Amino acid sequence: MSQTYKEAGVDKEAGYEHVERIKESVKSTQNANVLSHLGGFSGLFELDLDGIEKPVLVSGTDGVGTKVKLAYELDIHNTVGIDCVAMCVNDIICQGAKPLYFLDYLATGHLVPDKTVQIVEGISQGCIQSGVALIGGETAEMPGVYQGDDYDLAGFAVGVVGKKKIITGKDINDYTVLIGIPSTGVHSNGFSLIRHVLRNTDLKAEFGSTGKSVGEVLLTPTKIYVESVLKLIDHIEVLGLAHITGGGLIENVPRMLPEGYQANIDFDALKVPAIFKLIQETGSISKGEMLNTFNMGVGMVIAVDKENVTKALEILAAEGAYEIGIVEKGNQGIIIK
């Protein structure tokens, strides 16, 4: 008897429906630089290099991690796509690059267009927030690898910066001040720990007076810092940037520091969202473990000369940015008091 692909677990018709339903969402992200169309074998993007001296392409790739597990447990799928874009574009702006385009990879055990379309709509929203074009991607139905309609999500972004304007952190010194831009919450890190410590917590219960459930607060998308950071770079000299992802402040801030310098951050100055208190108290997690896992309310750290602090804070006022510490001579990487 002849066998079909559908009998093996792959529904091509659902795939066709998915592509048809995401067309308008993808189109909403595109601009005059996009030369390709959805359904082609690759994405085409025409570079506009006017005013960019010795252009350098900057790329970044990342996923959403086990936050997707929470998304399909709560049946909320329109936020993780924003996370996926954010995790990539927030990385490449740390070198001073302007993001240009994005591609996604969505893999699932069973393609359910009502869910996957929501995911891509989130990706498109993230692209719009970042000013990038969604020029392609892949949706793979992989029964046997993923169970049921479980899915995983990853992405890839490319940006451009003039070679002389690459931010490397080499000019950071002991006259440098660290400014933090607040996160929107947990962002996309530490969810294996979160899911473990909150395994007996009712995620559908209201969280404080937020009007949202605990699960909805946890699924708040990663903040995209592209617009605010590029605006700052246009107005002052930015010496270094650190996107606070896995490893928290402890692992990520030292990555932008030159040899012989360390960051000194005042923990009491940090504006830590209440969701972190719930996680810490429920799991009896130490302060050190929290700092080494989560962003603790700071999603991006910016290093500027002390003479530029006032102007930087004025430019970033709408973001709620504030001073979180200084750089000093030393080899400890980071000290959080």
Side-chain angles (χ1 to χ4, degrees):
M1 183 174 64
S2 176
Q3 299 293 307
T4 67
Y5 211 1
K6 190 170 185 178
E7 288 173 324
V10 178
D11 188 346
K12 291 185 291 184
E13 296 301 324
Y16 302 149
E17 179 186 344
H18 167 82
V19 172
E20 187 62 33
R21 290 175 59 180
I22 66 172
K23 283 183 177 180
E24 288 303 314
S25 180
V26 173
K27 186 178 179 180
S28 69
T29 74
Q30 297 183 346
N31 53 46
N33 299 95
V34 179
L35 305 182
S36 52
H37 64 278
L38 186 64
F41 289 99
S42 58
L44 302 175
F45 190 92
E46 183 176 19
L47 287 173
D48 180 0
L49 301 177
D50 287 348
I52 303 177
E53 186 179 351
K54 294 185 177 180
V56 175
L57 293 178
V58 182
S59 58
T61 185
D62 209 336
V64 185
T66 58
K67 189 173 187 177
V68 297
K69 182 77 172 176
L70 193 65
Y72 45 76
E73 286 176 355
L74 294 170
D75 199 24
I76 299 173
H77 309 282
N78 60 349
T79 62
V80 290
I82 300 175
D83 285 297
C84 190
V85 177
M87 295 298 285
C88 296
V89 297
N90 285 346
D91 277 354
I92 66 177
I93 60 173
C94 288
Q95 265 55 66
K98 177 183 178 181
L100 300 174
Y101 61 82
F102 184 83
L103 296 94
D104 69 281
Y105 180 83
L106 172 61
T108 182
H110 175 59
L111 190 60
V112 181
D114 284 344
K115 294 183 179 182
T116 56
V117 168
Q118 289 184 57
I119 297 167
V120 176
E121 287 174 347
I123 293 170
S124 297
Q125 181 58 45
C127 288
I128 291 170
Q129 291 180 28
S130 309
V132 304
L134 178 56
I135 66 168
E138 171 70 7
T139 302
E141 194 170 15
M142 301 168 64
V145 176
Y146 297 94
Q147 301 302 311
D149 56 1
D150 291 357
Y151 59 82
D152 195 12
L153 182 63
F156 177 86
V158 172
V160 66
V161 62
K163 189 173 182 178
K164 291 183 179 179
K165 294 187 176 182
I166 297 173
I167 297 174
T168 65
K170 64 180 178 61
D171 294 324
I172 290 176
N173 54 50
D174 48 1
Y175 290 92
T176 300
V177 174
L178 301 175
I179 293 173
I181 307 182
S183 66
T184 49
V186 181
H187 285 184
S188 300
N189 300 105
F191 273 87
S192 293
L193 177 57
I194 290 169
R195 290 172 45 247
H196 175 68
V197 301
L198 299 184
R199 62 192 180 280
N200 296 319
T201 300
D202 182 3
L203 298 182
K204 295 184 179 180
E206 184 174 358
F207 182 66
S209 58
T210 62
K212 297 181 179 180
S213 69
V214 175
E216 287 172 330
V217 172
L218 290 170
L219 285 175
T220 301
T222 304
K223 184 172 178 62
I224 291 173
Y225 297 100
V226 173
E227 182 178 358
S228 56
V229 167
L230 292 182
K231 180 179 178 181
L232 185 67
I233 290 171
D234 281 344
H235 287 84
I236 69 167
E237 182 183 10
V238 173
L239 302 178
L241 288 155
H243 180 206
I244 310 305
T245 55
L249 292 163
I250 290 177
E251 293 293 332
N252 289 289
V253 172
R255 294 169 65 181
M256 70 173 171
L257 301 178
E259 187 175 352
Y261 290 94
Q262 64 190 28
N264 190 326
I265 293 177
D266 179 7
F267 180 80
D268 291 334
L270 301 183
K271 299 174 183 178
V272 183
I275 190 64
F276 292 107
K277 183 178 181 181
L278 172 67
I279 296 166
Q280 183 173 14
E281 292 182 349
T282 304
S284 299
I285 304 171
S286 69
K287 175 183 172 182
E289 183 69 18
M290 293 293 292
L291 285 166
N292 207 19
T293 304
F294 303 110
N295 65 61
M296 299 302 286
V298 180
M300 183 71 70
V301 176
I302 304 170
V304 300
D305 189 276
K306 63 181 181 180
E307 295 183 354
N308 287 325
V309 172
T310 299
K311 188 171 183 179
L313 292 176
E314 288 175 356
I315 294 169
L316 298 172
E319 302 290 346
Y322 61 101
E323 290 185 50
I324 64 169
I326 60 171
V327 174
E328 56 189 12
K329 292 181 179 178
N331 293 301
Q332 296 189 52
I334 186 168
I335 298 174
I336 302 181
K337 298 177 180 179

